[in-house]
Amino acid sequence: MKKRSNADLTDILNVAKTYISHQESIDLITKAYYYAEKKHEGQFRKSGEPYVIHVNEVAYILATLHVGPKTIVAGLLHDVLEDTDTTREQMIADFDEEITTLVEGVTKIGALKFKNEKEYMAENHRKIFIAMAKDIRVILIKLVDRLHNMRTLQYQSPEKQKKISSETLEVYAPIAHRLGISEIKNELEDLCFRYLNPEEYKHIAKLVEDKKIERDAQVKTMIENISNLLTDNHIEFRIFGRSKHLYSIHKKMVQKNKRFDEILDLLAIRIVTKTELNCYEILGYIHATYRPIPGRLKDYIAVPKVNMYQSLHTTIVGEEGKIFEVQIRTEEMDAIAEQGVAAHWRYKEGSKYNAQAEQKEIEEKLSWFRDLFTITTDSDDAQGYMETLQRDLFEANVYVMTPNGKVIDLPNGSTPIDFAYRIHTEVGHSTVGALVNDVLVPLNTPLKTGDVVKIRTSKQFAGPSEDWLKIVKTNGAKNKIRSYLTKKDLEEKQAQTERGEQLLKEELRKRQLEIDDYMDPKKLETIFGQCSVSNYTDFMYAIAIKSLSTQSVVEKLVNQRKTNILDNDSVNKIYVNKETRKLPSKSGIYVKGIDSMLIHIASCCSPIPGDDIVGYISKGMGVKVHRVDCPNIIKEKKRLIEVEWDENREPRKYIVNLHILANDRNFLLTDLITVAAQYKASLQAVNSYVNEEDLTAVIKLAVLVEDGVHLRNVIANLKKVNSVISVEREIK
C-alpha cells in the first residue's frame, strides 16, 4: 500500500484519475476537498498540523484501493458531521443522501449517558457494524481512518497509545482480516504491537534484521532456481520473496511455543501466474523437484477461506535443508489476498453502484457477513453484541463445510449444534442429530477443519433444552437457545396461569359463589402467605399443577371473607395514617394517607415518571393510574383520587406505545429499531403496514423507557431517522 504524508488534492486526483475518467466524478471529489478544508479550518491535530491533513490522507489511501468516487468523497467528509456544526440536512443539500449516510455510518455516537467507557465503546462499535451490515463501504472508510490514526499515534500520550492500540487489535484488525484486506490488517497489527509491547517488538525486529542478509541470499538463490524451472516449462509467472510481518511472527511464537528460528515460513516465496491451471502445474513441477513436507500442502483455491482468500500453500525442503513456504496464485487471487473485499468490488467506470445488489453479492461471497447482520438484529445489549462478534466471528478458526460445499467458520471447540444455529435459527431449534463426514456423531462432538457436517432435523422435536447451553461454544447459539427457552417458559406459565384460573372458577361455580368477587386479585393476595406463594402467577401455577387444591383455596377465601367483612362502601373506610406519610409501592406510586392499596398502571395511556397522573378507584381492582389527559377518565369526577410518583421508587422500566408515520423505503423498520436500541429503549412489540394510497408507512412500536426524559430523547432521535414524518405516543 502506498504511504506518504500530507497528501493534497493533486495527490488524491492523480491516483483517482488512473481509474476514474468521468469529469463529473473528479469535480465531486474536488468539491469535497475544498468543503472539508473550509469546515475544518482552525482545527488542529495533536501533532500541531491542520486537521484537514488527516481527512486528505484517508481519501488518498481510499483512492489507492480504487474505491468509487462517492467513497472517496465520504472519506474527505467523514469527520464533518462529528467535528463541525454541519447538520445532516445541510450535507444532503450540499452533496446527497448516499454520501451523507456513509458519513453518518462512520461518525461516533453522540453524547449520551453510559455507565462507563467500555459501554460507550461497545455501543460505538455496534453502530459502525450495523452501518457496515447495510453498506460495506462504511467499514472501508473506518479502517482507513483508523490506519492513518495509527500511523500518527506517536503524538498521543502513552496511555492513549495503548488504549487505541488495544481497541484496534481487538476490533479493527480482525475485521480487516475477515474482509481479506491483509495490507491494512498487517500494518494495523504491527503498529499495535509496537505500542502495546515495545520491548518484544524491538526484540523480534532485531532478530529479523540480524537474519536479513543471510535470509535474503537464501531466498534469492531459491527464486533463481524456481524461475529457471518454470521458464524451461514455458509458464508465465512473476516470483518474489515475501517477509512475514512482525506481529504474526510474535503470535506464532506465543501460540505454538516456538523459538524464532523454528518459524517455517520466515523463508517465504510467492509465485503469481496467469491461470488457475498454471497454479497446479507450478505446484507439480515444484513437488517433482523439491521434497514437500507432509501435511503442509493447503489448497485454498479449491476451498477458499471465508474472506475470499485463494492460493496454494506448500512447504518444501530447499538447498542445505532450508525450509521454504511457497504460495502460488493468479493475479486476481493476489489482488484479493492483499486488498480483499476492496479488490473484489473495485470501482468500475460506467457501472452504477447499487447498494442492495452489492450487499447481496457480499453475503454470497462472504458467508459470515449474513451472520454479522443476524447478530446485529438479534442483540439489544452493545457489550453482549461485541462479545458475540469477538467470539463467533473474530476468533473463528475452524472451517467446516455443508454437504453442498459451503464453508462455515466457527470458533475452536464448536459442535454440530453451533453449526446448525449458524445455518439458521430454526435449523438449530429442530436439530435431532448430526452426520460428520457421513458418520453419525453425538451433538457435543467438537468439529475440526475440513469436516463435512449434515444436520438432521424434525418438526416434531420439542426444541432445545438447557443442557444444550453446556454444549455450545458460540455466543450466537447460546443467545438463540436462551431466547427460545425464555419464550417457552413464558408461554408455559401463561398457559398454566389460565388453566389455574379456569379450575378455580369451576370450583367457585360448584359452590355457587360470586366469581368476580372471589377472583379479585386483591382478595386472592390475602391468602398467598397461607398457600406459600408470593405472587398471582405462582398462585395460579400451583393450582394448575395440583400442588394447591381448589377446594382448600376456596375454603381459605371463604374463611378470610368471614373474618374481614367490608361493606359496599369499603373504599371510603380504608385506614388512614394521620401523619399521611409517603408509602413506597412496587409501582413507584403512592396514594396520600393510604396504608395499603393495590395499584395498577393503566395500559390504555401507559403513564411514566414525569407524566401528570391521577388515580381511578376501580371496583375490585384497587387504583388504576392514568395520565391526567387520558380520554378514558377525562369525564370522570367522583372516583378520582390524588396520586404521585414516588421520588424514592426503585429503578424500573415502563412500557410506552409509539405511533410512527413515515414515507416508506427500504431498511426503514431496521433503522427505527436500531435507533431505539441505541438509545436503550428495549423493544417489546412491533407492528407495521403501508398505506397503498399514499405509500406512507405506519409503524407501532412498544418500547420500555425509564422516564419522561428518556422517552423524549428516544422520540427526538426517532424523528431524525430519514423519511420519518411524525412520532407520537399512542393511547389505546
Side-chain angles (χ1 to χ4, degrees):
M1 179 174 290
K2 297 178 183 177
K3 297 181 191 177
R4 58 179 296 148
S5 59
N6 300 350
D8 58 17
L9 179 61
T10 302
D11 297 316
I12 297 168
L13 293 184
N14 282 343
V15 177
K17 286 178 180 178
T18 62
Y19 65 97
I20 300 173
S21 60
H22 287 166
Q23 189 58 42
E24 186 180 345
S25 296
I26 298 299
D27 291 344
L28 183 65
I29 295 171
T30 304
K31 175 185 174 182
Y33 178 89
Y34 289 114
Y35 189 91
E37 188 175 60
K38 182 179 179 181
K39 291 291 183 180
H40 290 295
E41 188 176 2
Q43 296 178 354
F44 297 90
R45 307 195 82 210
K46 292 282 186 181
S47 62
E49 295 176 319
Y51 190 84
V52 74
I53 286 175
H54 167 65
V55 298
N56 292 347
E57 281 297 312
V58 169
Y60 177 81
I61 298 170
L62 285 169
T64 66
L65 295 173
H66 288 205
V67 300
K70 289 194 174 184
T71 311
I72 297 175
V73 169
L76 285 164
L77 304 177
H78 78 271
D79 280 330
V80 168
L81 289 181
E82 184 178 336
D83 295 338
T84 76
D85 58 2
T86 307
T87 64
R88 182 182 192 277
E89 291 71 25
Q90 185 180 340
M91 185 173 283
I92 292 174
D94 293 337
F95 291 91
D96 63 28
E97 189 163 342
E98 183 180 348
I99 291 170
T100 304
T101 300
L102 288 175
V103 173
E104 280 185 314
V106 183
T107 302
K108 293 187 183 76
I109 54 178
L112 302 175
K113 289 184 179 179
F114 293 96
K115 293 178 184 175
N116 50 50
E117 189 171 10
K118 185 177 180 182
E119 184 184 44
Y120 167 76
M121 296 298 290
E123 192 64 64
N124 196 46
H125 294 146
R126 183 171 181 268
K127 174 187 179 294
I128 291 168
F129 288 125
I130 286 170
M132 169 188 166
K134 291 190 283 187
D135 196 324
I136 193 71
R137 294 175 293 176
V138 169
I139 202 63
L140 288 178
I141 299 168
K142 190 62 186 177
L143 284 173
V144 171
D145 171 44
R146 180 51 59 104
L147 177 61
H148 185 254
N149 283 332
M150 288 299 301
R151 286 179 179 177
T152 55
L153 200 59
Q154 69 268 28
Y155 299 107
Q156 298 285 353
S157 66
E159 183 183 351
K160 201 79 177 284
Q161 288 172 352
K162 288 187 179 295
K163 177 184 166 186
I164 294 172
S165 296
S166 294
E167 179 195 11
T168 302
L169 196 60
E170 291 173 6
V171 178
Y172 293 104
I175 204 67
H177 173 63
R178 279 288 170 189
L179 293 170
I181 313 175
S182 61
E183 278 187 320
I184 292 179
K185 172 241 179 193
N186 292 346
E187 188 176 350
L188 286 176
E189 287 184 339
D190 277 356
L191 288 167
C192 293
F193 184 29
R194 175 183 168 188
Y195 290 106
L196 291 173
N197 197 343
E199 294 303 318
E200 185 66 12
Y201 177 88
K202 291 174 186 176
H203 174 64
I204 292 178
K206 187 176 186 305
L207 290 174
V208 170
E209 186 61 31
D210 290 345
K211 292 276 187 179
K212 188 176 187 305
I213 296 175
E214 177 188 351
R215 193 175 64 251
D216 286 353
Q218 293 166 347
V219 171
K220 183 180 178 182
T221 300
M222 179 59 83
I223 285 176
E224 290 175 356
N225 293 339
I226 293 177
S227 295
N228 292 333
L229 174 66
L230 300 182
T231 301
D232 291 344
N233 286 281
H234 311 291
I235 296 177
E236 290 186 39
F237 69 96
R238 59 186 180 92
I239 186 170
F240 50 92
R242 67 175 187 87
S243 58
K244 204 165 185 67
H245 66 293
L246 300 183
Y247 180 72
S248 65
I249 296 171
H250 163 72
K251 194 174 178 182
K252 192 168 274 191
M253 289 171 64
V254 172
Q255 289 181 344
K256 298 190 176 182
N257 195 26
K258 289 189 175 184
R259 301 188 310 275
F260 176 80
D261 54 8
E262 291 180 296
I263 307 295
L264 292 180
D265 49 3
L266 280 178
L267 295 172
I269 291 171
R270 182 174 299 160
I271 303 169
V272 182
T273 187
K274 192 173 183 181
T275 68
E276 191 175 299
L277 181 59
N278 290 152
C279 294
Y280 289 102
E281 282 186 289
I282 291 170
L283 179 67
Y285 287 126
I286 289 175
H287 279 189
T289 307
Y290 300 96
R291 180 167 62 86
I293 294 180
R296 295 280 295 179
L297 173 62
K298 295 176 183 176
D299 188 347
Y300 294 120
I301 293 179
V303 184
K305 290 186 179 182
V306 291
N307 60 7
M308 301 186 302
Y309 177 91
Q310 286 184 288
S311 186
L312 293 175
H313 290 195
T314 186
T315 304
I316 59 175
V317 181
E319 295 179 1
E320 300 179 359
K322 297 298 180 183
I323 306 296
F324 291 84
E325 183 191 67
V326 182
Q327 297 177 348
I328 309 165
R329 60 182 68 151
T330 65
E331 292 286 357
E332 183 182 359
M333 292 173 192
D334 190 54
I336 292 175
E338 294 301 311
Q339 297 182 350
V341 68
H344 189 83
W345 283 280
R346 281 188 165 187
Y347 179 73
K348 299 175 184 66
E349 190 89 286
S351 63
K352 189 175 181 181
Y353 183 88
N354 184 315
Q356 286 181 299
E358 294 288 337
Q359 290 298 107
K360 186 176 181 182
E361 188 177 358
I362 287 171
E363 290 182 20
E364 291 173 357
K365 292 282 185 180
L366 298 174
S367 59
W368 61 270
F369 205 84
R370 183 190 62 189
D371 301 319
L372 173 69
F373 188 77
T374 302
I375 294 170
T376 299
T377 53
D378 280 355
S379 177
D380 285 335
D381 173 44
Q383 291 188 56
Y385 167 82
M386 287 307 300
E387 288 171 7
T388 299
L389 209 64
Q390 193 87 25
R391 172 71 180 160
D392 294 4
L393 293 184
F394 294 169
E395 295 179 9
N397 56 8
V398 173
Y399 304 97
V400 297
M401 288 184 287
T402 64
N404 61 7
K406 181 181 178 182
V407 178
I408 304 293
D409 54 320
L410 296 163
N412 192 38
S414 295
T415 66
I417 301 176
D418 293 291
F419 175 90
Y421 277 106
R422 186 62 65 83
I423 297 298
H424 195 279
T425 302
E426 290 307 316
V427 173
H429 287 342
S430 57
T431 295
V432 293
L435 292 168
V436 176
N437 304 323
D438 288 327
V439 176
L440 188 64
V441 299
L443 290 177
N444 63 350
T445 304
L447 299 174
K448 304 184 300 297
T449 293
D451 284 343
V452 178
V453 184
K454 184 177 182 180
I455 299 297
R456 287 182 172 177
T457 61
S458 172
K459 292 182 179 179
Q460 285 73 44
F461 181 53
S465 67
E466 286 194 20
D467 290 338
W468 282 21
L469 293 171
K470 301 173 186 176
I471 296 173
V472 296
K473 298 295 180 183
T474 59
N475 283 349
K478 287 178 181 177
N479 291 340
K480 289 171 183 176
I481 293 168
R482 288 192 187 105
S483 177
Y484 177 91
L485 294 174
T486 299
K487 183 180 178 183
K488 184 180 177 182
D489 186 49
L490 288 173
E491 289 174 350
E492 184 177 340
K493 278 190 174 181
Q494 180 62 30
Q496 294 289 20
T497 298
E498 291 173 1
R499 174 169 169 73
E501 290 172 340
Q502 191 60 38
L503 289 172
L504 184 55
K505 287 177 182 178
E506 288 176 4
E507 183 64 26
L508 291 168
R509 286 193 192 96
K510 286 180 185 177
R511 302 194 182 203
Q512 297 182 337
L513 296 171
E514 184 62 41
I515 291 177
D516 289 342
D517 193 16
Y518 282 90
M519 290 294 290
D520 175 4
K522 179 63 178 176
K523 292 177 181 176
L524 291 175
E525 193 175 293
T526 61
I527 65 167
F528 284 176
Q530 300 174 51
C531 299
S532 300
V533 297
S534 59
N535 57 62
Y536 183 84
T537 300
D538 290 346
F539 178 68
M540 289 302 174
Y541 182 79
I543 293 174
I545 64 173
K546 305 294 178 66
S547 66
L548 270 178
S549 71
T550 53
Q551 293 89 343
S552 66
V553 167
V554 172
E555 290 294 335
K556 288 181 174 66
L557 286 170
V558 170
N559 291 335
Q560 185 71 16
R561 185 180 178 84
K562 288 177 181 177
T563 59
N564 193 27
I565 297 174
L566 298 175
D567 61 26
N568 293 331
D569 196 27
S570 59
V571 169
N572 297 319
K573 293 186 178 180
I574 295 173
Y575 293 102
V576 178
N577 184 320
K578 293 181 181 179
E579 296 178 1
T580 54
R581 58 187 176 87
K582 288 188 177 182
L583 299 172
S585 71
K586 293 179 181 178
S587 62
I589 297 167
Y590 74 91
V591 183
K592 288 185 177 180
I594 295 178
D595 282 333
S596 177
M597 177 67 76
L598 187 64
I599 299 174
H600 295 288
I601 299 290
S603 59
C604 55
C605 56
S606 302
I608 61 175
D611 290 337
D612 291 330
I613 53 176
V614 66
Y616 173 78
I617 302 174
S618 62
K619 291 182 179 179
M621 291 293 287
V623 175
K624 285 195 173 182
V625 178
H626 294 258
R627 285 159 51 189
V628 293
D629 59 349
C630 178
N632 294 324
I633 53 93
I634 200 75
K635 294 181 180 179
E636 186 64 51
K637 302 295 181 185
K638 296 181 180 179
R639 300 170 72 179
L640 299 182
I641 61 171
E642 185 179 348
V643 296
E644 293 181 13
W645 293 106
D646 189 345
E647 294 178 359
N648 301 314
R649 64 184 179 276
E650 294 182 2
R652 57 166 287 191
K653 290 195 174 183
Y654 299 81
I655 195 162
V656 173
N657 297 297
L658 298 177
H659 184 281
I660 302 172
L661 182 65
N663 294 315
D664 190 37
R665 63 171 174 83
N666 289 335
F667 300 116
L668 172 61
L669 188 57
T670 301
D671 289 345
L672 291 169
I673 293 172
T674 298
V675 168
Q678 285 176 350
Y679 289 88
K680 304 292 187 297
S682 301
L683 185 66
Q684 298 298 294
V686 60
N687 185 27
S688 64
Y689 62 89
V690 176
N691 291 319
E692 294 184 1
E693 292 182 3
D694 57 5
L695 294 180
T696 56
V698 175
I699 300 97
K700 295 185 179 182
L701 297 182
V703 296
L704 290 177
V705 298
E706 294 171 359
D707 51 31
V709 175
H710 186 193
L711 176 62
R712 287 193 291 275
N713 194 19
V714 172
I715 290 176
N717 285 282
L718 286 172
K719 286 180 177 179
K720 293 179 182 178
V721 173
N722 180 32
S723 82
V724 167
I725 299 169
S726 64
V727 182
E728 305 290 343
R729 280 179 76 175
E730 188 174 54
I731 296 180
K732 295 180 180 178

